[in-house]
Amino acid sequence: MRRSIYRRSVCTAAFAGVTLLTAGLLGAGAHAAPAEQPQQEQSLADYIKDGLKDKSAEPKTAEAVAASEGSVSSDTEGFGPAQNTFVEAFAYGAAHPDVAPPGANDWSCKPTEAHPEPVVLVHGTWENAYNNFAAISQPIKDAGYCVFTFNYGKLSIDQGGGVGSLLPGANGTGYIEESSKQLATFVDRVLDATTAAKVNIVGHSQGGPMSLWYLENEGGAAKVHHEITFGGTNHGTTLAGIGALGRAINNLGIDILGPVELLVGHAGIQQTVGSDFINALTANGDTVPGVDYTIVGSRYDEVTTPYDSTFLEAGEGATVKNITLQDGCETDLAEHLGLMYSKRSLSIILNTLDPEQTPDLTC
């Protein structure tokens, strides 16, 4: 009887976790109040960092990647209009999932002496090049930069992409290590086309840790000047405690994250705090020498939680500027999906790239 009750309790918790985890990745409503972060959540996160008690309960990331059928990346086709909100961009992108955001992917663009480094935009989980950057790509181009972006990590649901892969234009669901190789190939194409020495990366959500993996493991450190991330799951996310709860249950030897992975996809589960991927990403510190990092988090972020887990600590030879979006602008209520539709976020990008041209941050 006790075992039956216990199993029902675990199943109930799993169902609740799946529901909230999926909702978290899709994003809550815009301008939601910052989520409370109780002490219990931090305790779970600390516990998770100790790793699995039974290492056989979770496959090694490298083995899982090797066994994968492999995600794919794709170029954009055509251009969509500028949008003011993610909701508008998602609606347009649902019917035109492969278009580029305005101002991006002009392969004839040549960097100027004032701005010699192209900007590469890297979208997040279940997003694409258009709906992630439909607000900021044209203004960056107008500021004098060559701007490029692409779609990466596309995987069908039967390959492990999760239910998000059923959404029109949903990408970023494959293993993150595979996606970083796709980013490496794309950056090399940009450098070849523009004859630039380095690029600047702007990454949203998964675009943070994916590009960080590129810097550390795929030769990106020599090819990137500025690494700028917004709401990056750079140390994993608890998804308001759900990711942490699932990982903690896994640590006890009960495979709850396996079933969840069927829903959220490989990349989604890799971004939970304490995952093998996150542990490997941060094993040698947060940064690599020679790269300047600007890391932005929002107090209203309901996906990357706690929101300040996105921040990095500078290692030798690197500089890090951690920015809370609302510092100096309490009226900016941008949550996770709204970060790339915030005028303040755009001003942070332009200020980072050229503080003389854009000396002040917008509020």
Side-chain angles (χ1 to χ4, degrees), residues 111-250:
T112 64
E113 183 176 349
H115 299 136
E117 297 165 343
V119 176
V120 175
L121 308 176
V122 186
H123 67 73
T125 310
W126 295 6
E127 295 176 311
N128 58 50
Y130 177 75
N131 64 31
N132 213 160
F133 301 115
I136 69 168
S137 54
Q138 187 67 58
I140 296 175
K141 175 72 178 294
D142 292 343
Y145 299 90
C146 296
V147 182
F148 298 91
T149 187
F150 73 122
N151 295 313
Y152 71 84
K154 189 172 186 64
L155 205 64
S156 64
I157 187 170
D158 60 305
Q159 291 175 310
V163 295
S165 63
L166 298 175
L167 296 170
N171 302 286
T173 61
Y175 285 112
I176 299 175
E177 299 91 335
E178 291 176 345
S179 295
S180 73
K181 294 180 185 297
Q182 296 161 16
L183 175 60
T185 299
F186 187 78
V187 168
D188 285 348
R189 287 177 58 198
V190 170
L191 293 177
D192 288 344
T194 60
T195 68
K198 291 187 176 184
V199 303
N200 299 299
I201 287 179
V202 176
H204 175 249
S205 194
Q206 183 195 152
M210 190 272 266
S211 56
L212 293 177
W213 187 271
Y214 162 65
L215 296 179
E216 291 186 18
N217 300 285
E218 298 296 337
K223 302 173 183 180
V224 175
H225 181 184
H226 291 286
E227 166 82 357
I228 310 171
T229 73
F230 291 82
T233 50
N234 299 332
H235 291 104
T237 175
T238 66
L239 280 174
I242 297 303
L245 176 61
R247 183 66 55 183
I249 293 174
N250 252 49

Side-chain angles (χ1 to χ4, degrees), residues 31-37 298-302 307 326 333:
H31 312 325
E36 294 293 329
Q37 303 296 338
S298 170
R299 294 189 187 125
Y300 297 89
D301 197 320
E302 74 285 26
Y307 86 88
Q326 287 76 29
L333 306 179

Side-chain angles (χ1 to χ4, degrees), residues 294-334:
T294 298
I295 311 299
V296 183
S298 170
R299 294 189 187 125
Y300 297 89
D301 197 320
E302 74 285 26
V303 175
T304 300
T305 57
Y307 86 88
D308 56 0
S309 66
T310 193
F311 295 150
L312 304 182
E313 182 176 343
E316 183 178 356
T319 64
V320 173
K321 181 186 293 184
N322 292 315
I323 300 174
T324 297
L325 190 69
Q326 287 76 29
D327 285 353
C329 188
E330 293 295 333
T331 58
D332 192 318
L333 306 179

Side-chain angles (χ1 to χ4, degrees), residues 281-302:
L281 177 65
T282 58
N284 297 315
D286 289 347
T287 63
V288 295
V291 178
D292 295 329
Y293 298 79
T294 298
I295 311 299
V296 183
S298 170
R299 294 189 187 125
Y300 297 89
D301 197 320
E302 74 285 26

Side-chain angles (χ1 to χ4, degrees), residues 21 25 58 125-126 160 173-176 236-237 239 243 246-247 250 255-278:
L21 184 58
L25 282 174
E58 182 174 284
T125 310
W126 295 6
T173 61
Y175 285 112
I176 299 175
T237 175
L239 280 174
R247 183 66 55 183
N250 252 49
D255 185 13
I256 188 176
L257 291 180
V260 172
E261 186 169 359
L262 296 176
L263 291 184
V264 302
H266 297 319
I269 213 68
Q270 284 187 303
Q271 291 172 83
T272 57
V273 63
S275 72
D276 283 350
F277 171 79
I278 292 297

